[in-house]
Every structure is written in structure tokens, then in C-alpha cells.
Amino acid sequence: MTSSTAAPIVSGAGINFSFGVGELRKQILFDVEFAIQPGEVVLLMGPSGSGKTTLLTLIAGLRTLQAGQLNVLGHSLAGASRAELLALRRKIGFIFQAHNLLPYLTALQNVQMMFDLHPEVSPAEGRERAVRILEQVGLGERMLYYISKLSGGQRQRVAVARALVCNPEIVLADEPTAALDGASGREVVNLLQSLAREHQRPILMVTHDARVVDIADRIITMQDGRLINDLQATENLTRMSGIHA
């Protein structure tokens, strides 16, 4: 894990967020404050509806920041323009819980199309990198299959490959192991951990999967839109062991 004295890759303070207007307005996030350092693997945990995915999509620039300060990879998201948000998204690998893959394309095409955002990469290099990452996630023999012909777990691995193929500066993952069995889930989180360690790329992962807590440097727990714990992983595991003893 990187020293806490390093400049954070992501930092936020006073973040509030609501859906709806008027009588239908419902506040989702309440004064959230946190920071993520280079190379950290951080798990964002808590019950369903606690605001985890909302926070993740704000960091990704997929929602507009309503209140507070949020800085991601040197970009201030307070009042950011569409062009600024697009520039940020090009630096982020996002693994969606619902995959968001195109069913009429093959696994290889779904991954390779990420280079449409990176015209500096030639089609030949893009294809080579897409093939390599699909082999790394165990889909070397399925890369020419259409998404509609793949299982849920295989689709999730395509989504992971797509998020990693452009060497993002940060990876945001929403339940990346939800559709995977134990062995496949372990392969995916090991790949994510390797990215964090070798290239100092932080990983922020929303998860309910207790099987992956051993890869974490920190575990942030949310409840009812508030951050209630931000602990080193060893502290969190010790605390949980005391509760269940």
C-alpha cells in the first residue's frame, strides 16, 4: 500500500446528492468525505440502498455533482463541463454490474471498441491488446463468441477486460464478482490487484462479496447515505471478528 502522505488520486468532501425534486426529492448521500491514494485497493461496502453505486458514478463523472467538492485524477468535478467529464472518463475503467455490453458484437469487438476513445492507438494494436486481455481473464477460446451466446459469468469477464484494456488510471468496479463462481471471481480480483500494485492504479470496488476482502487495503462502509467506517482492512477484519465471536 502507498504511503498516506502521497497526493490522493480521488478526494471528496461535503458530498450531498439527491434524486427527484420537490416533494419527490430523496437525499441519497449525506456529507460524504473520503480520499483514495495511488495503488490502493479500496472496497466500498454496506447494505443495498446505502448510496455506494451513486457515489461510484459521481466519481466516474456519470452523474453531475450537486454539492460538495470532488477531485478525480486532477479534475475538479464541481461545475465541470461535459467536455471535462468526457476527458475524465477516458482515464477511468468502469466495470458495470449490468455489464453494459453490446449483444450484437463479439466479446473481442466489445473490448476492442474501447479504443474508439483513443485514436492514438492503431486498430492493429487495439486488437492485439484486446486479445491479450481476454486471454488474461480466461476467455481466449470465447473471444469470437457473440455476447448473447456467453454465460453471465463470461459476460462479466468481458466487462472486466473492457475496463482494463486501455490501461486506465483508476478502476471503478460495481459488484465485479457478483456473477462469478469462486475460482473465476478470484482470477478477476487478482487481476485487479495486480493492476493496482504493478502500475500504482487505485481500485475502488463496490461489493457484498466477503470472498474478496483479503485483497483490500481499506474498507469503507456506508449506511443510509453516510460513511460510517473507513478502516485499514486488517482493522476492519479484526473488528468484524470481534462482533461475530
Side-chain angles (χ1 to χ4, degrees), residues 202-222:
I203 312 291
L204 178 60
M205 183 190 309
V206 168
T207 186
H208 290 94
D209 191 348
R211 299 173 301 176
V212 304
V213 296
D214 61 300
I215 73 160
D217 296 308
R218 279 193 297 137
I219 298 176
I220 297 175
T221 305
M222 294 188 69

Side-chain angles (χ1 to χ4, degrees), residues 215-236:
I215 73 160
D217 296 308
R218 279 193 297 137
I219 298 176
I220 297 175
T221 305
M222 294 188 69
Q223 183 173 310
D224 297 327
R226 292 177 170 83
L227 193 159
I228 60 171
N229 277 312
D230 184 350
L231 301 173
Q232 299 299 318
T234 51
E235 293 180 83
N236 193 79

